[in-house]
Amino acid sequence: QPSGSSKPPKPSFSKQDLQHYEESDFSWSKEVQAKLCNVFQLSKFRPLQRAAINLSMSGKDLFLVMPTGRGKSLCYQLPALCSKGFTLVIAPLVSLMEDQLMYLKSINVPAVTLNASSTKEDSKQVLAGMTDKNSPFKLLYVTPEKIAKSKLLMSKLEKAYNMNLLARIAVDEVHCCSQWGHDFRPDYKLLGILKRQFPKVSLVGLTATATSNVLKDCQKILCVQEPITLTAPFNRPNLYYEVRFKHNEDCTHQIAELIRERYKNQSGIVYVFSQKDAEVVATDLQKRNILAQPYHANMEPSDKSLWHQQWSSKKIQVVVATVAFGMGIDKADVRFVIHHTISKSIENYYQESGRAGRDDGSADCIVFFGFADIFRISTMVVMENTGQQKLQNMVAYCQNVDRCRRAMMAIHFDEVWNDDECNQMCDVCRHGNDYITMDITKHARDVVAIVEMASSMDEKLTPLKVCDAWMGKGPAKHRKTLKVTSLSRVEVESVIIHLLLHGYFSEDFSFTPYTTHFYLKLGRKAALLKNDNHSITMKMRRVMSHATVKKVSESAGKNSSAKVEGKRPADSDDKKSVAKKVKILP
Ligand code: ADP
Ligand code: MG
């Protein structure tokens, strides 16, 4: 089971070792530096790039873990230029390779590709070039499918290997090997053949996914004995993280306001759940005079590249996209990434939101957290082994009101960031005292009773039905016997989410030929509520509604006596005094 808390692989590589590889007195250092400036036209290395290049030039196997956009490609492209022969690069997407090839062409680096869309003529030339002592190209990009399926390619690689022309193997997006990653691709599983056949060639695996179990898995699959893992810090200090409650009618309106006002003339991405949502939200934004275009997997390739291009050149302001808009985006000045729907995991959220602010200028990452969306995603990931757990972590991130959002993300990367490193660059740190602690035991008993009763009548309830029933809007037969709650809709939703996250409810899927339904059933901890001494508290945003505060001041005492409206700047003393009174959740 993957879990964020498992320890990273033991550091076979010490700080001192690292320092050694940060030096610039290797035999190749002069050439490396010269090519950095003259070919890549870059003035200096970013953190860890030099060490990665030196390690790779020394023939070490290497896993390089760096956030997206930080410059991993350079770490194999530059060594490729400074070595005899060519470097084999495995990349998951043809579009990704084409972007790279276009870039390399623009800086006069000879690079070629072999993929499903290569013509016979091109393939022939490439295959011949592989065993040409004059190395007509320094980089050969292939898809993993090619390795798996083309015996001709393998035989040429073997020949090149024997001629010492296969300089290096780079596996880009190496997490695609592992089913535990967020982007598993079956053909990556077969890449172990490379290290088995060509053991003398060093391999560099590149990814932005740092979870140690994913890396260990990749190492095994690729048959790499003792790779050195370099991990760049994942904290993106220039990104402001915020979560907003989503009230459906109002969400697109809020997004439009933000784009028109706060992000006037700035580029951004709005991520949505489905292709249909992409069309609908894009149209809605267009109606509000925003230059927006949809982007999803099911569009004409020509439209996709057109919108991508127009967005890159600021002819359109916003791309309303599904997650299909991702890999290969290399726009530096993205000022906002708004999630119209939560991501299916924190890893995904980090990646998607991480497309903001690559130029190191400040940028905002806002996610709209909607009740119904949770269950849409839950049924979508129902087939994935760890899908529900990952989604729950994402939901917990959104539901969270008292922990730094950076700190919550860090857990997933086996990193520890403390709140200081946030610098008030998340809504929690900025408005830290904006929550109250609420005893929800009674509410929990009431809502659990609804699900219990339905089940005794052999009925299944969707979360929305449970909300309705609890608020007295359900069918009459339920209403008679049930206690109608005095909580507001958002509170009702928050309580149900809390109970789901903490095991009082659990998911009960049902499959029809057309769709998967999500029902609520009692969870493993529901029985605890029969015990009079059992209590549940939860933290809720204070600004949720006026009604909340009144009720809470009855149940939670002093905590809620503070002002209701207006976000006050975080005040650490105040934050602590609130925190001290808070009971630890079960
Ligand atoms: P990754 O693969 O890590 O997501 P890329 O290799 O695609 O990132 O690089 C992202 C961008 O960063 C590219 O535009 C690249 O030119 C730029 N870049 C890489 N290294 C440097 C550097 N040392 N200084 C400035 N820009 C760099
Ligand atoms: Mg990359």
Side-chain angles (χ1 to χ4, degrees), residues 220-265:
K220 225 164 57 199
I221 288 164
L222 292 175
C223 304
V224 190
Q225 298 293 330
E226 282 191 328
I228 290 160
T229 302
L230 291 185
T231 306
F234 270 64
N235 187 12
R236 300 278 310 273
N238 58 320
L239 301 188
Y240 178 75
Y241 294 104
E242 179 179 344
V243 177
R244 296 189 179 200
F245 281 112
K246 177 171 177 179
H247 311 286
N248 273 328
E249 333 71 62
D250 183 58
C251 174
T252 313
H253 174 72
Q254 269 191 60
I255 292 176
E257 295 279 284
L258 281 167
I259 295 174
R260 269 200 311 243
E261 287 161 25
R262 201 191 290 178
Y263 307 122
K264 196 171 178 206
N265 299 324

Short mmCIF file of all heavy atoms in Angstrom, two decimals, residues 220-265:
data_model
loop_
_atom_site.label_atom_id
_atom_site.label_comp_id
_atom_site.label_asym_id
_atom_site.label_seq_id
_atom_site.Cartn_x
_atom_site.Cartn_y
_atom_site.Cartn_z
N LYS A 220 12.90 -1.05 -9.41
CA LYS A 220 12.76 -2.48 -9.61
C LYS A 220 12.39 -2.78 -11.06
O LYS A 220 12.98 -3.64 -11.71
CB LYS A 220 11.69 -3.02 -8.66
CG LYS A 220 12.10 -4.28 -7.98
CD LYS A 220 11.29 -4.67 -6.76
CE LYS A 220 9.79 -4.83 -7.00
NZ LYS A 220 9.02 -4.76 -5.75
N ILE A 221 11.41 -2.05 -11.55
CA ILE A 221 10.91 -2.30 -12.90
C ILE A 221 11.99 -2.05 -13.95
O ILE A 221 12.11 -2.78 -14.92
CB ILE A 221 9.65 -1.46 -13.16
CG1 ILE A 221 8.49 -2.03 -12.34
CG2 ILE A 221 9.29 -1.42 -14.64
CD1 ILE A 221 7.32 -1.11 -12.20
N LEU A 222 12.79 -1.04 -13.71
CA LEU A 222 13.83 -0.70 -14.69
C LEU A 222 15.11 -1.51 -14.50
O LEU A 222 16.06 -1.35 -15.26
CB LEU A 222 14.16 0.79 -14.62
CG LEU A 222 13.04 1.73 -15.07
CD1 LEU A 222 13.44 3.17 -14.85
CD2 LEU A 222 12.70 1.49 -16.54
N CYS A 223 15.12 -2.37 -13.47
CA CYS A 223 16.30 -3.18 -13.19
C CYS A 223 17.56 -2.34 -12.98
O CYS A 223 18.63 -2.67 -13.50
CB CYS A 223 16.55 -4.19 -14.30
SG CYS A 223 15.16 -5.26 -14.62
N VAL A 224 17.42 -1.26 -12.26
CA VAL A 224 18.57 -0.44 -11.93
C VAL A 224 19.03 -0.85 -10.55
O VAL A 224 18.24 -0.89 -9.61
CB VAL A 224 18.21 1.06 -11.90
CG1 VAL A 224 19.45 1.91 -11.79
CG2 VAL A 224 17.42 1.44 -13.13
N GLN A 225 20.33 -1.17 -10.43
CA GLN A 225 20.80 -1.74 -9.16
C GLN A 225 20.79 -0.74 -8.01
O GLN A 225 20.01 -0.87 -7.09
CB GLN A 225 22.21 -2.32 -9.33
CG GLN A 225 22.27 -3.46 -10.34
CD GLN A 225 21.51 -4.69 -9.87
OE1 GLN A 225 21.41 -4.94 -8.68
NE2 GLN A 225 20.95 -5.45 -10.81
N GLU A 226 21.65 0.24 -8.08
CA GLU A 226 21.74 1.17 -6.96
C GLU A 226 21.76 2.60 -7.45
O GLU A 226 22.81 3.24 -7.45
CB GLU A 226 23.00 0.88 -6.15
CG GLU A 226 22.85 -0.30 -5.25
CD GLU A 226 24.00 -0.42 -4.27
OE1 GLU A 226 25.14 -0.03 -4.63
OE2 GLU A 226 23.76 -0.87 -3.15
N PRO A 227 20.63 3.08 -7.87
CA PRO A 227 20.63 4.43 -8.42
C PRO A 227 20.82 5.46 -7.31
O PRO A 227 20.52 5.20 -6.15
CB PRO A 227 19.23 4.56 -9.02
CG PRO A 227 18.40 3.65 -8.19
CD PRO A 227 19.29 2.51 -7.79
N ILE A 228 21.37 6.58 -7.69
CA ILE A 228 21.43 7.71 -6.77
C ILE A 228 20.19 8.55 -7.02
O ILE A 228 19.83 8.80 -8.18
CB ILE A 228 22.71 8.52 -7.03
CG1 ILE A 228 23.92 7.70 -6.57
CG2 ILE A 228 22.68 9.86 -6.32
CD1 ILE A 228 25.20 8.16 -7.19
N THR A 229 19.53 8.92 -5.97
CA THR A 229 18.32 9.72 -6.14
C THR A 229 18.59 11.15 -5.71
O THR A 229 18.99 11.39 -4.57
CB THR A 229 17.16 9.12 -5.32
OG1 THR A 229 16.95 7.79 -5.75
CG2 THR A 229 15.88 9.92 -5.53
N LEU A 230 18.39 12.06 -6.61
CA LEU A 230 18.50 13.48 -6.27
C LEU A 230 17.10 14.07 -6.25
O LEU A 230 16.36 13.95 -7.22
CB LEU A 230 19.33 14.23 -7.31
CG LEU A 230 20.82 13.98 -7.42
CD1 LEU A 230 21.43 14.93 -8.44
CD2 LEU A 230 21.49 14.14 -6.07
N THR A 231 16.76 14.68 -5.15
CA THR A 231 15.42 15.26 -5.05
C THR A 231 15.51 16.75 -4.79
O THR A 231 16.10 17.18 -3.80
CB THR A 231 14.64 14.59 -3.91
OG1 THR A 231 14.67 13.18 -4.11
CG2 THR A 231 13.19 15.05 -3.90
N ALA A 232 14.96 17.52 -5.67
CA ALA A 232 14.92 18.96 -5.47
C ALA A 232 13.76 19.29 -4.54
O ALA A 232 12.77 18.57 -4.52
CB ALA A 232 14.75 19.66 -6.81
N PRO A 233 13.91 20.35 -3.78
CA PRO A 233 12.80 20.70 -2.89
C PRO A 233 11.54 21.00 -3.70
O PRO A 233 11.60 21.57 -4.78
CB PRO A 233 13.29 21.96 -2.18
CG PRO A 233 14.57 22.36 -2.82
CD PRO A 233 15.04 21.27 -3.69
N PHE A 234 10.42 20.56 -3.16
CA PHE A 234 9.17 20.69 -3.89
C PHE A 234 8.40 21.96 -3.56
O PHE A 234 7.46 22.32 -4.23
CB PHE A 234 8.30 19.46 -3.66
CG PHE A 234 8.57 18.42 -4.70
CD1 PHE A 234 9.82 17.82 -4.79
CD2 PHE A 234 7.61 18.07 -5.61
CE1 PHE A 234 10.09 16.89 -5.77
CE2 PHE A 234 7.86 17.14 -6.59
CZ PHE A 234 9.11 16.54 -6.67
N ASN A 235 8.81 22.59 -2.51
CA ASN A 235 8.08 23.79 -2.13
C ASN A 235 8.14 24.83 -3.25
O ASN A 235 9.19 25.12 -3.79
CB ASN A 235 8.69 24.36 -0.85
CG ASN A 235 7.86 25.50 -0.31
OD1 ASN A 235 6.72 25.72 -0.75
ND2 ASN A 235 8.41 26.23 0.62
N ARG A 236 7.00 25.38 -3.58
CA ARG A 236 6.96 26.44 -4.58
C ARG A 236 6.56 27.72 -3.85
O ARG A 236 5.37 28.01 -3.71
CB ARG A 236 5.93 26.11 -5.66
CG ARG A 236 6.20 24.81 -6.44
CD ARG A 236 7.21 24.99 -7.54
NE ARG A 236 6.89 26.12 -8.40
CZ ARG A 236 6.10 26.07 -9.46
NH1 ARG A 236 5.52 24.95 -9.81
NH2 ARG A 236 5.86 27.16 -10.17
N PRO A 237 7.55 28.45 -3.36
CA PRO A 237 7.22 29.57 -2.45
C PRO A 237 6.41 30.67 -3.11
O PRO A 237 5.73 31.42 -2.41
CB PRO A 237 8.60 30.09 -2.03
CG PRO A 237 9.58 29.48 -2.95
CD PRO A 237 8.98 28.25 -3.52
N ASN A 238 6.44 30.75 -4.42
CA ASN A 238 5.72 31.84 -5.08
C ASN A 238 4.25 31.54 -5.36
O ASN A 238 3.53 32.39 -5.87
CB ASN A 238 6.42 32.23 -6.39
CG ASN A 238 6.54 31.05 -7.35
OD1 ASN A 238 6.82 29.93 -6.91
ND2 ASN A 238 6.31 31.27 -8.62
N LEU A 239 3.80 30.34 -5.04
CA LEU A 239 2.40 30.00 -5.30
C LEU A 239 1.55 30.20 -4.06
O LEU A 239 1.90 29.74 -2.97
CB LEU A 239 2.28 28.56 -5.78
CG LEU A 239 3.04 28.19 -7.05
CD1 LEU A 239 2.66 26.79 -7.51
CD2 LEU A 239 2.75 29.21 -8.17
N TYR A 240 0.43 30.89 -4.24
CA TYR A 240 -0.53 31.08 -3.15
C TYR A 240 -1.63 30.04 -3.31
O TYR A 240 -2.27 29.93 -4.36
CB TYR A 240 -1.13 32.49 -3.23
CG TYR A 240 -2.16 32.75 -2.16
CD1 TYR A 240 -1.77 32.97 -0.83
CD2 TYR A 240 -3.52 32.76 -2.46
CE1 TYR A 240 -2.71 33.19 0.15
CE2 TYR A 240 -4.47 32.98 -1.47
CZ TYR A 240 -4.06 33.20 -0.16
OH TYR A 240 -4.99 33.40 0.82
N TYR A 241 -1.83 29.23 -2.26
CA TYR A 241 -2.83 28.16 -2.32
C TYR A 241 -4.10 28.55 -1.57
O TYR A 241 -4.02 29.00 -0.42
CB TYR A 241 -2.27 26.87 -1.72
CG TYR A 241 -1.12 26.28 -2.50
CD1 TYR A 241 0.19 26.41 -2.04
CD2 TYR A 241 -1.34 25.61 -3.70
CE1 TYR A 241 1.25 25.87 -2.76
CE2 TYR A 241 -0.28 25.06 -4.42
CZ TYR A 241 1.00 25.20 -3.94
OH TYR A 241 2.05 24.66 -4.65
N GLU A 242 -5.22 28.36 -2.22
CA GLU A 242 -6.48 28.73 -1.58
C GLU A 242 -7.56 27.71 -1.94
O GLU A 242 -7.58 27.18 -3.05
CB GLU A 242 -6.90 30.13 -2.10
CG GLU A 242 -8.21 30.62 -1.53
CD GLU A 242 -8.59 32.02 -2.04
OE1 GLU A 242 -7.73 32.74 -2.58
OE2 GLU A 242 -9.78 32.36 -1.90
N VAL A 243 -8.45 27.47 -0.98
CA VAL A 243 -9.60 26.60 -1.24
C VAL A 243 -10.86 27.41 -1.01
O VAL A 243 -10.97 28.12 -0.01
CB VAL A 243 -9.60 25.38 -0.28
CG1 VAL A 243 -10.84 24.51 -0.52
CG2 VAL A 243 -8.34 24.55 -0.44
N ARG A 244 -11.80 27.33 -1.94
CA ARG A 244 -13.08 28.01 -1.75
C ARG A 244 -14.21 27.01 -1.82
O ARG A 244 -14.13 26.04 -2.57
CB ARG A 244 -13.32 29.03 -2.87
CG ARG A 244 -12.34 30.16 -2.88
CD ARG A 244 -12.78 31.22 -3.86
NE ARG A 244 -11.84 32.32 -3.84
CZ ARG A 244 -12.11 33.54 -4.28
NH1 ARG A 244 -13.32 33.81 -4.76
NH2 ARG A 244 -11.21 34.49 -4.22
N PHE A 245 -15.25 27.27 -1.05
CA PHE A 245 -16.42 26.41 -1.17
C PHE A 245 -17.10 26.66 -2.50
O PHE A 245 -17.16 27.79 -2.96
CB PHE A 245 -17.42 26.69 -0.05
CG PHE A 245 -17.02 26.03 1.23
CD1 PHE A 245 -16.63 26.79 2.32
CD2 PHE A 245 -17.04 24.65 1.35
CE1 PHE A 245 -16.24 26.19 3.49
CE2 PHE A 245 -16.65 24.04 2.53
CZ PHE A 245 -16.26 24.81 3.60
N LYS A 246 -17.59 25.60 -3.08
CA LYS A 246 -18.23 25.73 -4.38
C LYS A 246 -19.74 25.65 -4.21
O LYS A 246 -20.27 24.66 -3.73
CB LYS A 246 -17.75 24.58 -5.27
CG LYS A 246 -18.39 24.52 -6.64
CD LYS A 246 -17.64 23.46 -7.44
CE LYS A 246 -18.23 23.27 -8.81
NZ LYS A 246 -17.46 22.25 -9.56
N HIS A 247 -20.38 26.72 -4.57
CA HIS A 247 -21.84 26.69 -4.66
C HIS A 247 -22.10 26.68 -6.15
O HIS A 247 -21.78 27.64 -6.85
CB HIS A 247 -22.45 27.92 -4.02
CG HIS A 247 -21.89 28.17 -2.65
ND1 HIS A 247 -22.22 27.39 -1.57
CD2 HIS A 247 -21.00 29.08 -2.20
CE1 HIS A 247 -21.56 27.83 -0.52
NE2 HIS A 247 -20.80 28.84 -0.87
N ASN A 248 -22.68 25.61 -6.62
CA ASN A 248 -22.65 25.36 -8.06
C ASN A 248 -23.00 26.52 -8.96
O ASN A 248 -22.26 26.85 -9.87
CB ASN A 248 -23.50 24.14 -8.39
CG ASN A 248 -22.66 22.87 -8.26
OD1 ASN A 248 -21.46 22.92 -8.51
ND2 ASN A 248 -23.26 21.78 -7.86
N GLU A 249 -24.14 27.15 -8.70
CA GLU A 249 -24.62 28.20 -9.60
C GLU A 249 -23.57 29.30 -9.72
O GLU A 249 -23.40 29.94 -10.75
CB GLU A 249 -25.91 28.88 -9.09
CG GLU A 249 -26.82 28.04 -8.19
CD GLU A 249 -26.27 27.78 -6.80
OE1 GLU A 249 -26.06 28.75 -6.06
OE2 GLU A 249 -26.05 26.60 -6.46
N ASP A 250 -22.84 29.47 -8.63
CA ASP A 250 -22.10 30.68 -8.43
C ASP A 250 -20.63 30.54 -8.83
O ASP A 250 -19.92 31.51 -8.98
CB ASP A 250 -22.25 30.91 -6.92
CG ASP A 250 -21.61 32.16 -6.45
OD1 ASP A 250 -22.00 33.20 -6.98
OD2 ASP A 250 -20.73 32.07 -5.59
N CYS A 251 -20.21 29.30 -9.02
CA CYS A 251 -18.78 29.02 -9.18
C CYS A 251 -18.22 29.67 -10.44
O CYS A 251 -17.21 30.38 -10.39
CB CYS A 251 -18.57 27.51 -9.19
SG CYS A 251 -16.91 27.01 -9.56
N THR A 252 -18.87 29.43 -11.58
CA THR A 252 -18.36 30.02 -12.82
C THR A 252 -18.39 31.54 -12.75
O THR A 252 -17.48 32.22 -13.24
CB THR A 252 -19.18 29.53 -14.02
OG1 THR A 252 -19.33 28.12 -13.92
CG2 THR A 252 -18.49 29.86 -15.33
N HIS A 253 -19.42 32.05 -12.09
CA HIS A 253 -19.51 33.49 -11.91
C HIS A 253 -18.30 34.02 -11.13
O HIS A 253 -17.66 34.99 -11.53
CB HIS A 253 -20.82 33.83 -11.19
CG HIS A 253 -20.97 35.27 -10.84
ND1 HIS A 253 -21.21 36.24 -11.78
CD2 HIS A 253 -20.86 35.90 -9.65
CE1 HIS A 253 -21.26 37.41 -11.19
NE2 HIS A 253 -21.05 37.24 -9.88
N GLN A 254 -18.00 33.34 -10.03
CA GLN A 254 -16.84 33.75 -9.23
C GLN A 254 -15.55 33.68 -10.03
O GLN A 254 -14.69 34.55 -9.94
CB GLN A 254 -16.69 32.82 -8.02
CG GLN A 254 -17.42 33.28 -6.79
CD GLN A 254 -16.96 32.42 -5.59
OE1 GLN A 254 -15.79 32.38 -5.24
NE2 GLN A 254 -17.91 31.74 -4.97
N ILE A 255 -15.43 32.60 -10.80
CA ILE A 255 -14.22 32.43 -11.61
C ILE A 255 -14.12 33.57 -12.62
O ILE A 255 -13.05 34.17 -12.80
CB ILE A 255 -14.23 31.06 -12.31
CG1 ILE A 255 -14.08 29.95 -11.27
CG2 ILE A 255 -13.12 30.96 -13.36
CD1 ILE A 255 -14.17 28.54 -11.83
N ALA A 256 -15.25 33.90 -13.24
CA ALA A 256 -15.24 34.99 -14.22
C ALA A 256 -14.83 36.31 -13.58
O ALA A 256 -14.02 37.06 -14.13
CB ALA A 256 -16.62 35.11 -14.86
N GLU A 257 -15.36 36.57 -12.39
CA GLU A 257 -15.00 37.81 -11.68
C GLU A 257 -13.50 37.87 -11.43
O GLU A 257 -12.85 38.88 -11.66
CB GLU A 257 -15.71 37.87 -10.32
CG GLU A 257 -17.20 37.96 -10.41
CD GLU A 257 -17.65 39.39 -10.67
OE1 GLU A 257 -17.61 40.19 -9.72
OE2 GLU A 257 -18.01 39.67 -11.83
N LEU A 258 -12.97 36.75 -10.94
CA LEU A 258 -11.54 36.70 -10.66
C LEU A 258 -10.73 37.00 -11.92
O LEU A 258 -9.80 37.79 -11.89
CB LEU A 258 -11.15 35.30 -10.14
CG LEU A 258 -11.46 34.98 -8.68
CD1 LEU A 258 -11.30 33.48 -8.44
CD2 LEU A 258 -10.51 35.76 -7.76
N ILE A 259 -11.12 36.35 -12.99
CA ILE A 259 -10.35 36.49 -14.23
C ILE A 259 -10.44 37.93 -14.75
O ILE A 259 -9.45 38.50 -15.22
CB ILE A 259 -10.84 35.49 -15.30
CG1 ILE A 259 -10.56 34.05 -14.83
CG2 ILE A 259 -10.17 35.75 -16.65
CD1 ILE A 259 -11.13 32.98 -15.73
N ARG A 260 -11.64 38.49 -14.63
CA ARG A 260 -11.81 39.85 -15.17
C ARG A 260 -11.13 40.90 -14.29
O ARG A 260 -10.65 41.91 -14.78
CB ARG A 260 -13.28 40.18 -15.31
CG ARG A 260 -13.84 39.82 -16.67
CD ARG A 260 -15.09 40.58 -16.92
NE ARG A 260 -15.98 40.48 -15.79
CZ ARG A 260 -17.18 39.91 -15.84
NH1 ARG A 260 -17.62 39.42 -16.96
NH2 ARG A 260 -17.94 39.84 -14.76
N GLU A 261 -11.11 40.66 -13.00
CA GLU A 261 -10.58 41.68 -12.12
C GLU A 261 -9.17 41.37 -11.63
O GLU A 261 -8.21 42.00 -12.04
CB GLU A 261 -11.54 41.90 -10.95
CG GLU A 261 -12.77 42.65 -11.44
CD GLU A 261 -13.97 42.53 -10.53
OE1 GLU A 261 -13.77 42.30 -9.32
OE2 GLU A 261 -15.10 42.67 -11.04
N ARG A 262 -9.07 40.36 -10.79
CA ARG A 262 -7.75 40.12 -10.21
C ARG A 262 -6.72 39.72 -11.26
O ARG A 262 -5.56 40.04 -11.14
CB ARG A 262 -7.85 39.02 -9.15
CG ARG A 262 -6.68 39.08 -8.18
CD ARG A 262 -6.58 37.86 -7.28
NE ARG A 262 -7.65 37.78 -6.28
CZ ARG A 262 -7.74 36.76 -5.42
NH1 ARG A 262 -6.86 35.80 -5.44
NH2 ARG A 262 -8.73 36.72 -4.54
N TYR A 263 -7.16 38.98 -12.28
CA TYR A 263 -6.20 38.47 -13.26
C TYR A 263 -6.34 39.13 -14.62
O TYR A 263 -6.08 38.52 -15.65
CB TYR A 263 -6.35 36.95 -13.39
CG TYR A 263 -6.28 36.25 -12.07
CD1 TYR A 263 -7.33 35.44 -11.63
CD2 TYR A 263 -5.19 36.41 -11.22
CE1 TYR A 263 -7.28 34.82 -10.40
CE2 TYR A 263 -5.13 35.79 -10.00
CZ TYR A 263 -6.18 34.99 -9.58
OH TYR A 263 -6.14 34.38 -8.37
N LYS A 264 -6.78 40.36 -14.60
CA LYS A 264 -6.96 41.10 -15.85
C LYS A 264 -5.68 41.05 -16.69
O LYS A 264 -4.59 41.31 -16.18
CB LYS A 264 -7.29 42.55 -15.49
CG LYS A 264 -7.87 43.31 -16.64
CD LYS A 264 -8.39 44.67 -16.23
CE LYS A 264 -8.90 45.35 -17.48
NZ LYS A 264 -8.88 46.78 -17.40
N ASN A 265 -5.84 40.67 -17.95
CA ASN A 265 -4.70 40.59 -18.89
C ASN A 265 -3.64 39.57 -18.51
O ASN A 265 -2.52 39.63 -19.00
CB ASN A 265 -4.02 41.96 -19.05
CG ASN A 265 -4.97 42.99 -19.60
OD1 ASN A 265 -5.82 42.66 -20.42
ND2 ASN A 265 -4.87 44.22 -19.12
#
